[in-house]
Amino acid sequence: MALLPIVTVPDPMLRETSAPIEQVDDQVRALIDDMLETMYDAPGIGLAAVQVGVLRRLIVVDIGEREDAPPDPIAMINPEIVQLGDTTRVYEEGCLSLPDVLVDVERPETAVVRYVDREGVQQERELGGLLATVVLHEVDHLDGRLIIDSLSRLKREMVVRKLKKLARA
């Protein structure tokens, strides 16, 4: 396993749409393992492949119900949101590609996602609460969307300027 560099704003790659993964093989499983190691090291609770420079539809998530609980990672290959719940909630979200930025984002409280697991088996799962929020956040990455897209243009530009300044330092 290896730690991968995390792509940060303003890198234009983060605005690209990720391509589907055609076949689940040892290379994809190795990428999953590297992404999990990178996410845990960051530390984070979700990571999309594009955030480590790979434009493929793959996300990893581990919301860890308790700090003393063992890791419970979920890898989703080609995740597809099948259904969104009617009720929404606002959650203060951070992002490994936007260091030190927190944004209130309104998302559906529940969702149903269809994906392929690390063994190549099609799955469908109903999500709620924080897990739904994290999966929806990561799927947004696969479509080139970021949490700052919900901000006003002025606030979004201020955040991007701040991150550019940090990148130069």
Side-chain angles (χ1 to χ4, degrees):
M1 292 199 295
L3 286 178
L4 304 171
I6 296 175
V7 177
T8 58
V9 168
D11 192 311
M13 177 183 277
L14 293 168
R15 292 303 189 170
E16 294 188 37
T17 301
S18 297
I21 291 175
E22 302 300 326
Q23 178 181 338
V24 180
D25 54 19
D26 288 341
Q27 189 174 6
V28 170
R29 284 186 279 277
L31 177 59
I32 290 169
D33 292 339
D34 290 346
M35 287 174 60
L36 285 167
E37 184 176 350
T38 302
M39 178 187 76
Y40 291 133
D41 183 71
I45 57 174
L47 189 67
V50 64
Q51 292 179 273
V52 293
V54 178
L55 279 168
R56 291 289 181 251
R57 297 190 78 78
L58 167 62
I59 66 172
V60 295
V61 175
D62 188 347
I63 61 169
E65 294 296 322
R66 299 180 327 270
E67 282 188 31
D68 62 338
D72 186 22
I74 303 166
M76 295 183 177
I77 300 163
N78 300 328
E80 174 189 349
I81 305 304
V82 176
Q83 183 179 351
L84 295 171
D86 296 330
T87 311
T88 61
R89 75 177 196 153
V90 176
Y91 190 82
E92 186 178 60
E93 296 182 26
C95 180
L96 297 176
S97 292
L98 294 149
D100 302 320
V101 174
L102 295 173
V103 176
D104 285 339
V105 180
E106 183 175 7
R107 295 189 189 272
E109 198 167 2
T110 60
V112 176
V113 63
R114 184 179 302 132
Y115 62 95
V116 175
D117 68 17
R118 71 179 291 134
E119 304 308 321
V121 178
Q122 182 87 32
Q123 303 284 342
E124 190 166 294
R125 186 169 179 170
E126 193 168 324
L127 312 171
L130 180 59
L131 184 57
T133 297
V134 175
V135 169
L136 292 172
H137 173 115
E138 299 309 332
V139 170
D140 275 354
H141 275 297
L142 302 180
D143 296 323
R145 290 189 300 268
L146 301 169
I147 58 173
I148 57 174
D149 294 346
S150 64
L151 297 175
S152 69
R153 184 172 171 226
L154 177 63
K155 285 183 181 177
R156 185 170 54 249
E157 288 173 357
M158 286 172 51
V159 169
V160 171
R161 265 197 311 275
K162 174 185 160 188
L163 292 172
K164 284 180 182 178
K165 192 175 184 179
L166 285 173
R168 283 193 304 267

